[in-house]
Amino acid sequence: MQYKYAKTLLDYSDLASGRVFHSLPGHPAFPVRLASEIFQRCMANRERIYKDSTPCSLYDPCCGTAYHLSVLAYLYGEHIREVIGSDIDSKAVTIAKRNLDLLSIAGLDQRIGEISQLLELYGKDSHKDALSSGHILKNRISAITQEHPIITKVFKADATDRTTILKNIKPNSVDIIFTDIPYGQHSHWQSSESNQLLNPIGSMLNALTSIISSESVVAIVSDKKQKVSHESFQRIEKFQIGKRRVVILRPI
Ligand SMILES: C[S@@+](CC[C@H](N)C(=O)[O-])C[C@H]1O[C@@H](n2cnc3c(N)ncnc32)[C@H](O)[C@@H]1O
């Protein structure tokens, strides 16, 4: 796969999971360069197809710790007005909330305070680096929020549960869905129902049709085994990178 947008590998260490952003054991961080490439492709498709380049509402129904959502807000906050994450796992939802809180000055000030205390207590180089990254992220968030605040929301939901999703997100309001669904080693599809999900991607897309706008773009990252297709969506891009397959769809 050739990177069309994130052509150069930049130093993303200020955004590293576990530095300023919170991490959770068993939830590996999504690669920042790939997240950047996928988001830029979504924005480019939205502009090309719908002629829309206004700040978007971004949602991930399998958000884990919301690491890639948070990173995208830092990189592209000027283009994002709202970030929403949900996940079936309560522990992930708690960390996701803490990460999305870092998209405000108040949340970052609190985190900088926490890191400063750790530095005073233990004097580690890792805390020194985290503190310096915290200030860099604060400058960036100040610049973004001077234009508009980034609204955030996190809730617990099964990605296939239309009712709970609709209780938390307005109908037809989401512009971009970018989700890294469960695959393989670290995470598996879980179900709020007692029965096993036969077609989790299809059920998730069914549920999402209620909250996406008619001018939306949906990016799904999966492994090569899972088939991403649905009668209400047309595929506009597909590419593979290592073990991951990325499919970008638009509603028909
Ligand atoms: C690959 S991880 C996502 C990691 C995320 N991209 C990040 O940067 O932290 C997949 C997530 O899907 C969640 N998941 C599994 N089954 C689910 C379901 N039915 N509904 C919603 N989330 C689910 C898991 O709890 C896990 O957090």
Side-chain angles (χ1 to χ4, degrees):
M1 182 290 263
Q2 273 213 327
Y3 282 90
K4 281 196 210 166
Y5 297 95
K7 284 187 181 160
T8 1
L9 179 59
L10 302 172
D11 176 6
Y12 295 117
S13 48
D14 292 323
L15 299 170
S17 177
R19 190 181 260 210
V20 180
F21 292 123
H22 303 279
S23 59
L24 185 65
H27 286 258
F30 193 82
V32 176
R33 186 182 181 192
L34 182 57
S36 163
E37 174 72 19
I38 295 170
F39 181 76
Q40 291 185 81
R41 287 190 189 214
C42 288
M43 289 296 280
N45 278 303
R46 185 169 168 251
E47 191 162 351
R48 180 180 61 81
I49 303 167
Y50 310 120
K51 314 284 173 256
D52 191 351
S53 53
T54 56
C56 67
S57 167
L58 171 68
Y59 174 44
D60 180 356
C62 297
C63 72
T65 60
Y67 175 68
H68 84 249
L69 287 179
S70 312
V71 159
L72 289 174
Y74 273 92
L75 294 175
Y76 302 107
E78 287 84 359
H79 303 285
I80 300 175
R81 64 181 166 76
E82 184 176 32
V83 181
I84 310 172
S86 63
D87 198 283
I88 201 166
D89 177 344
S90 309
K91 277 193 201 147
V93 168
T94 304
I95 303 296
K97 178 152 185 357
R98 290 176 71 194
N99 274 334
L100 292 191
D101 280 350
L102 300 178
L103 304 184
S104 70
I105 303 274
L108 264 179
D109 275 339
Q110 193 185 332
R111 180 72 177 132
I112 287 172
E114 283 167 17
I115 299 169
S116 305
Q117 278 186 351
L118 290 171
L119 182 59
E120 260 177 47
L121 272 174
Y122 304 108
K124 285 189 185 170
D125 284 346
S126 59
H127 296 139
K128 224 183 265 174
D129 293 342
L131 191 58
S132 136
S133 297
H135 287 293
I136 289 168
L137 296 191
K138 187 175 167 187
N139 285 342
R140 173 76 184 126
I141 272 300
S142 305
I144 296 168
T145 52
Q146 263 171 18
E147 289 183 26
H148 61 255
I150 301 179
I151 301 162
T152 61
K153 178 163 193 147
V154 183
F155 57 97
K156 182 178 169 181
D158 183 332
T160 65
D161 175 359
R162 173 192 289 255
T163 312
T164 307
I165 292 175
L166 259 176
K167 267 189 203 149
N168 286 280
I169 304 180
K170 281 196 216 120
N172 315 317
S173 64
V174 171
D175 306 301
I176 296 183
I177 289 186
F178 174 171
T179 188
D180 171 33
I181 61 170
Y183 43 89
Q185 266 178 305
H186 297 286
S187 68
H188 301 275
W189 279 107
Q190 297 171 45
S191 174
S192 49
E193 309 286 318
S194 50
N195 55 326
Q196 275 281 315
L197 281 168
L198 288 178
N199 174 11
I201 297 178
S203 305
M204 177 181 76
L205 286 170
N206 274 342
L208 296 179
T209 51
S210 53
I211 49 96
I212 51 169
S213 89
S214 55
E215 303 193 339
S216 59
V217 173
V218 177
I220 298 181
V221 184
S222 68
D223 61 3
K224 294 169 205 162
K225 280 183 250 146
Q226 302 189 69
K227 193 162 180 270
V228 176
S229 73
H230 190 283
E231 61 201 11
S232 305
F233 291 86
Q234 179 194 349
R235 193 172 79 199
I236 45 180
E237 281 199 55
K238 178 178 166 184
F239 61 93
Q240 217 152 282
I241 178 153
K243 62 179 174 140
R244 294 183 172 90
R245 175 178 288 162
V246 183
V247 174
I248 304 183
L249 309 165
R250 62 176 287 197
I252 296 172

